[in-house]
């Protein structure tokens, strides 16, 4: 399932050693609340998503902020724009 892949990617890229995919609620916010990620995390995650799925993101875009709201939103972005990666 794509949401599972996105969760695993987040954990791998951001080296969240104490978190498992099961710990991440697909609907909870990724930033501030929820996982508490920051802008550096967003940048690293964006690069990883671009490499793995071939999606394109704009750093300043309100759409990008919306896509990064939750795992479910990221999975929807990959599904709509990406191509299956490694």
């Amino acid at each position: 399932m794509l949401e599972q892949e996105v969760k695993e990617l987040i954990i791998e890229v951001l080296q969240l050693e104490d978190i498992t995919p099961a710990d991440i609620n697909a609907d909870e916010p990724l930033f501030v609340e929820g996982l508490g990620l920051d802008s550096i995390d967003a940048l690293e995650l964006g690069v990883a998503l671009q490499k793995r799925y071939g999606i394109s993101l704009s750093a300043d875009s309100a759409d990008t902020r919306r896509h990064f709201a939750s795992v479910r939103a990221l999975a929807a972005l990959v599904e709509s724009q990406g191509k299956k990666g490694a």
Side-chain angles (χ1 to χ4, degrees), residues 4-75:
Q4 182 72 16
E5 282 182 35
V6 170
K7 289 178 182 182
E8 290 169 3
L9 183 69
I10 290 169
I11 291 168
E12 175 188 326
V13 169
L14 303 179
Q15 299 173 355
L16 304 175
E17 296 169 359
D18 298 333
I19 295 179
T20 68
D23 294 332
I24 301 173
N25 179 329
D27 292 314
E28 82 178 357
L30 295 176
F31 297 90
V32 186
E33 304 158 11
L35 277 184
L37 303 183
D38 62 24
S39 58
I40 301 298
D41 295 330
L43 183 62
E44 290 179 18
L45 186 54
V47 168
L49 287 165
Q50 288 173 317
K51 283 182 182 173
R52 181 165 298 178
Y53 297 108
I55 62 174
S56 86
L57 299 165
S58 169
D60 310 342
S61 165
D63 280 346
T64 299
R65 282 193 289 279
R66 193 178 74 245
H67 294 311
F68 275 73
S70 67
V71 167
R72 182 153 293 144
L74 278 175

